[in-house]
Amino acid sequence: MQQRQLGRTGHMSSAAIFGAFALASIDQPGANSALDLALEHGVNHIDVAPGYVDAEERVGPWLQPRREQFFLGCKTAERRRNPAMMELNRSLKRLRTDYLDLYQLHAITTLEELDAAFSSGGVIETLRAARDQGKVRFLGITSHGMQAASVQMNALERFDFDTIMFPLTPRLYAEPDYRRDAEHLLQIAAERNIGVMIIKAAARGPRPATGHRFNTWYEPHDAYEAIEQGVRFALSQPVTGVVTTGDADLLPLFLRAVESFTPLLPDEQDALIAQRAEQEELIFHGEGFNEPD
């Protein structure tokens, strides 16, 4: 599998980053199988969060004897310093490690949330303290929603984050404002050597009210061709990698798509954006911003 440098961290991350929400509601043998599959395909980067149900407890036992083989990223959705520090210590215990490679502000979707994180006693103080104490090596931010890119540009004016994570799909690029902000954000990241991770590359649409079959907070594509198109589109941008979808059953298709990646030419990208423009893919309309990456 192709590897790309995660910005100034220097880590050569696999182009597929294992999204541990896939382990949220499965048993340890099932989690071991999913992680074994990722390892067999060359994945060397895991992304997890305390809000992903049992994911930390599932990753920990499997990862412990392999800790030095993986770049481990975790997150906090807390907005205040003290609760976040307690949560970080709990995450370290569950993950059976004494440090994280990357610790991220999770799901910052509005300027109001960003203001709260940077206020006196806010969670940004936890991130700084954790880095000073050697509990984490690098710091990042993740965002959802139609304002994701603009919020992250604002965040980068306040703090020199090492990584960013946000949604990027052909359907989102059919929205002129989103595309403008995302391309500007990617330019800033390239200029400042910030690692870029993409979420929801295989998203198809909002989660249906009934009949939802997947362990995701949106409706994913489940046909290989559509998954490959989303993955190719994301990896054709100046990014480090794409986070695998939140359903373990779709993991083999996603990994196959990443391994077969070839860049889309500009006219191919434009055609795909035009093709998806009229489809009901994942467009955020004010709800569901805090779903897992």
Side-chain angles (χ1 to χ4, degrees), residues 1 10 16 27 30-31 75 90 96 110 137 142 147 152-153 161 168 181 211 214 225 230 239 251 254 285:
M1 180 178 294
D27 60 17
K75 307 165 183 166
R90 185 167 60 248
R96 303 191 183 187
T110 66
R137 299 174 60 217
T142 85
Q147 305 304 314
Q152 292 199 348
M153 284 190 286
F161 287 103
L168 193 157
D181 291 342
F214 301 98
E225 181 180 3
V239 306
L251 182 61
F254 201 101
H285 293 297

Side-chain angles (χ1 to χ4, degrees), residues 21 47 49 51-52 75 77 79 106-109 113 142-146 148 165-167 172 178 199-200 203 205-207 212 215-219 246 282-293:
F21 188 69
D47 182 77
Y52 293 176
K75 307 165 183 166
R79 300 296 182 244
H106 191 194
I108 300 288
T109 59
E113 287 185 322
T142 85
S143 297
H144 302 269
M146 296 305 292
M165 181 185 289
F166 69 102
L172 288 171
Y178 194 94
I199 53 175
K200 297 178 174 59
R207 179 174 176 148
H212 187 62
N215 183 52
T216 54
W217 286 74
Y218 54 89
E219 187 73 0
L282 189 66
I283 296 295
F284 305 92
H285 293 297
E287 296 180 357
F289 287 173
N290 293 325
E291 76 275 6
D293 297 324

Side-chain angles (χ1 to χ4, degrees), residues 126-245:
T126 304
L127 270 67
R128 289 191 177 106
R131 184 175 59 184
D132 292 344
Q133 295 167 14
K135 294 182 178 180
V136 306
R137 299 174 60 217
F138 303 103
L139 303 177
I141 183 171
T142 85
S143 297
H144 302 269
M146 296 305 292
Q147 305 304 314
S150 61
V151 167
Q152 292 199 348
M153 284 190 286
N154 190 292
L156 291 174
E157 292 176 0
R158 307 187 193 200
F159 188 83
D160 194 23
F161 287 103
D162 301 302
T163 68
I164 57 176
M165 181 185 289
F166 69 102
L168 193 157
T169 70
R171 179 64 184 88
L172 288 171
Y173 262 40
E175 300 294 315
D177 290 346
Y178 194 94
R179 179 173 182 171
R180 178 200 64 221
D181 291 342
E183 289 181 338
H184 189 193
L185 177 62
L186 290 174
Q187 180 182 354
I188 293 171
E191 291 170 353
R192 293 171 55 176
N193 197 21
I194 295 169
V196 181
M197 295 166 284
I198 298 304
I199 53 175
K200 297 178 174 59
R204 178 179 185 177
R207 179 174 176 148
T210 60
H212 187 62
R213 299 180 291 119
F214 301 98
N215 183 52
T216 54
W217 286 74
Y218 54 89
E219 187 73 0
H221 286 290
D222 59 351
Y224 176 72
E225 181 180 3
I227 292 173
E228 183 192 32
Q229 287 176 337
V231 166
R232 284 188 74 195
F233 183 82
L235 289 178
S236 294
Q237 315 311 317
V239 306
T240 300
V242 288
V243 179
T244 60
T245 188

